Amino acid sequence: MTRSTIRNTVGAMRRQAPAAARNRQPILDVLRPRLPARGLVLEVASGSGEHVVHFAEALPGLVFQPSDPGAEARASIDDWVRTLALGNVRPALALDAAGDVWPIQRADAVLCCNMIHIAPWEAAIGLIAGAAHVLPTGGTLYLYGPYRREGRHTAPSNEAFDRDLRQRDPAWGVRDLEAVASLAEDRGFGSPEIIDMPANNLSLVFKRL
């Protein structure tokens, strides 16, 4: 999902991302047995908000904290929450993954979908550093998106997507799974559980050691 795929809906603030409608249920199927029954879940780069409201509806025992650096995205998130009358989703926070200080002190899980390839590498560094700071021992960091494995793309479509991203911004691009895992290990996470997802994406599930 890219920011350009998010389009306005009938509401002035609520937005839709076609990819979110396709992948939110497969992501939920991975998250359901891996998130705690109770606790606070921080989503970084919530985008339109369609992921977080889908998860919150399905997992009412959890409290979700969405976030995004963009004001329009935060307005969309809050509009979705109001529309669906969800009591277990907090107002969206202004959070830049690459920022030195996050506006939240603790969470039991951190989720981030489709961000690190549509951002400079510094965002991935900040995301993992921030997650390490807010998560307790045993806390979950979940990442979703396309990755290269052993220096190779997993599908021709991912290679074409990577080329398109780098043409749009040389700092963007599909990341090497091994580089992300190494970054997480350096911040106190274990090796990731890797789950194949539709459309040549991967779920990476890290546990804080």
Side-chain angles (χ1 to χ4, degrees), residues 4-170:
S4 62
T5 63
I6 297 175
R7 62 172 183 266
N8 289 331
T9 60
V10 212
M13 294 179 289
R14 201 163 62 250
R15 300 191 293 174
Q16 284 183 317
R22 294 191 298 268
N23 62 38
R24 61 188 180 182
Q25 186 59 45
I27 293 173
L28 175 61
D29 291 341
V30 171
L31 291 176
R32 193 188 295 274
R34 292 171 176 85
L35 291 179
R38 297 285 186 274
L40 177 65
V41 179
L42 167 66
E43 185 184 37
V44 176
S46 296
S48 68
E50 292 168 278
H51 279 148
V52 74
V53 296
H54 186 71
F55 304 155
E57 283 187 304
L59 303 169
L62 290 166
V63 175
F64 287 84
Q65 175 61 75
S67 70
D68 200 278
E72 290 186 4
R74 295 194 302 273
S76 175
I77 297 160
D78 292 339
D79 197 4
W80 276 112
V81 174
R82 284 192 300 270
T83 300
L84 298 173
L86 294 171
N88 62 329
V89 183
R90 294 178 175 178
L93 287 175
L95 187 154
D96 180 356
D100 292 333
V101 180
W102 285 9
I104 183 169
Q105 297 303 309
R106 59 160 296 277
D108 298 289
V110 175
L111 317 178
C112 186
C113 300
N114 287 318
M115 184 199 79
I116 65 173
H117 56 282
I118 313 176
W121 180 241
E122 288 74 18
I125 295 172
L127 170 67
I128 292 173
H133 178 73
V134 302
L135 288 172
T137 300
T140 297
L141 169 62
Y142 172 83
L143 306 180
Y144 168 87
Y147 292 89
R148 297 194 303 182
R149 303 190 72 171
E150 299 179 347
R152 297 184 179 88
H153 288 288
T154 60
S157 59
N158 282 6
E159 184 173 8
F161 181 45
D162 182 45
R163 186 163 54 249
D164 176 67
L165 289 173
R166 295 178 189 277
Q167 286 174 351
R168 291 163 59 191
D169 189 324

Side-chain angles (χ1 to χ4, degrees), residues 152-197:
R152 297 184 179 88
H153 288 288
T154 60
S157 59
N158 282 6
E159 184 173 8
F161 181 45
D162 182 45
R163 186 163 54 249
D164 176 67
L165 289 173
R166 295 178 189 277
Q167 286 174 351
R168 291 163 59 191
D169 189 324
W172 295 2
V174 175
R175 306 303 179 188
D176 288 307
L177 186 154
E178 293 80 9
V180 175
S182 176
L183 193 61
E185 182 182 355
D186 290 345
R187 287 291 184 170
F189 290 93
S191 298
E193 179 186 4
I194 304 167
I195 302 112
D196 289 320
M197 302 294 285

